[in-house]
Amino acid sequence: MKPFFWLALLGLGLSACVPQAVRPQPPAVELLGFNLISLDPFSGKAEFDLRLRLTNPNAYTLPLLDSTLTAELAGAQFRLVLPGIELPTSSPREVQARLMVPVAEGTRALATLVSGQSTRFRLLGELRVQLGPATVPVGPLTFVDRDVRLELAFQPPAFRITGLSLEGTTLRVGLEVQNPNPIGFTLSGPLRVQVGGRSVAEASLNLPLAPKGSSRGEFRLSLNGFPGVGGISLDLGLTAQIPGILEQPVHQVIPGFLR
């Protein structure tokens, strides 16, 4: 029995000599920027750019590895990958990360942000640190907990008549629309043709517009009797819509002429 006793004791002594990975102090994380890149209801996702400042409180360089964290917006949780970076001692470093938010899961948060209101943002989870041959987790912790809002002003789409011609009692209208916003939406509502201030034809418009995108369409409208004389114009009483997120009236009157 004695040999086994001494071997066990020797094993305990050797294990005590093996250095253990020291868990470092977590870096301080500050959210410097939270900006919308695009909100595309047709692809079903919104993309945000986050700018973060990280400060290492340890007395040694902290090599951060790519870390998958949880970003929480208005109570809904999404995945965010923080890119790896070496943090020198007490010298802040800035990093950028992209946050993808599915429109279906993030409807409440997106509606709040698009309307210009603030919502709560939290960044939590574990950071991965490389210390020698070991990968050491730091956390789980809440690294950011604050309100965010977007400086976003809706800009009305730009309309251009590309064609306006009369074929018997049918009026052909060509229309091009450009969306200057980082938000995509559907334009819907009545398109009325007016001659001398009187409505002579009407059609229903339903036009999808991608973020920063454009769309062209041609419409055939039946005239309501003789159009009479006077200047011709298109009266657009439309609404830019993303169900549950955006409902913005868009009204424009565009002068034109028959070709």
Side-chain angles (χ1 to χ4, degrees), residues 144-156:
V144 177
D145 189 349
R146 53 162 284 191
D147 284 348
V148 293
R149 66 188 297 267
L150 296 177
E151 298 294 335
L152 186 67
F154 181 85
Q155 300 179 58

Side-chain angles (χ1 to χ4, degrees), residues 70-224:
T70 297
E72 188 179 279
L73 269 175
Q77 295 187 339
F78 310 100
R79 178 176 174 270
L80 179 141
V81 176
L82 189 70
I85 187 173
E86 282 208 351
L87 297 179
T89 303
S90 301
S91 182
R93 290 288 185 269
E94 291 188 12
V95 297
Q96 285 186 290
R98 292 290 176 93
L99 173 62
M100 309 294 290
V101 175
V103 171
E105 288 84 352
T107 297
R108 178 186 165 200
L110 294 173
T112 301
L113 290 168
V114 166
S115 68
Q117 300 178 61
S118 298
T119 192
R120 187 181 183 187
F121 173 79
R122 299 173 71 214
L123 188 62
L124 54 153
E126 282 187 353
L127 294 175
R128 299 191 310 132
V129 177
Q130 187 74 49
L131 293 181
T135 299
V136 180
V138 177
L141 294 168
T142 299
F143 297 100
V144 177
D145 189 349
R146 53 162 284 191
D147 284 348
V148 293
R149 66 188 297 267
L150 296 177
E151 298 294 335
L152 186 67
F154 181 85
Q155 300 179 58
F159 296 88
R160 185 173 72 89
I161 297 174
T162 58
L164 196 58
S165 60
L166 187 62
E167 298 177 354
T169 59
T170 299
L171 189 65
R172 293 177 58 184
V173 179
L175 197 62
E176 181 182 55
V177 189
Q178 291 188 330
N179 176 16
N181 300 281
I183 300 172
F185 46 79
T186 299
L187 271 179
S188 58
L191 180 156
R192 298 182 179 91
V193 179
Q194 294 186 334
V195 176
R198 185 173 70 90
S199 179
V200 297
E202 182 175 326
S204 182
L205 192 71
N206 191 47
L207 201 62
L209 279 174
K212 302 282 188 179
S214 63
S215 185
R216 295 171 68 105
E218 184 176 276
F219 309 90
R220 293 174 176 268
L221 297 85
S222 296
L223 294 175
N224 301 323

Side-chain angles (χ1 to χ4, degrees), residues 42-55:
F42 310 110
S43 68
K45 65 182 181 182
E47 187 175 2
F48 295 88
D49 177 69
L50 276 66
R51 192 162 57 91
L52 301 159
R53 177 188 289 148
L54 281 68
T55 304

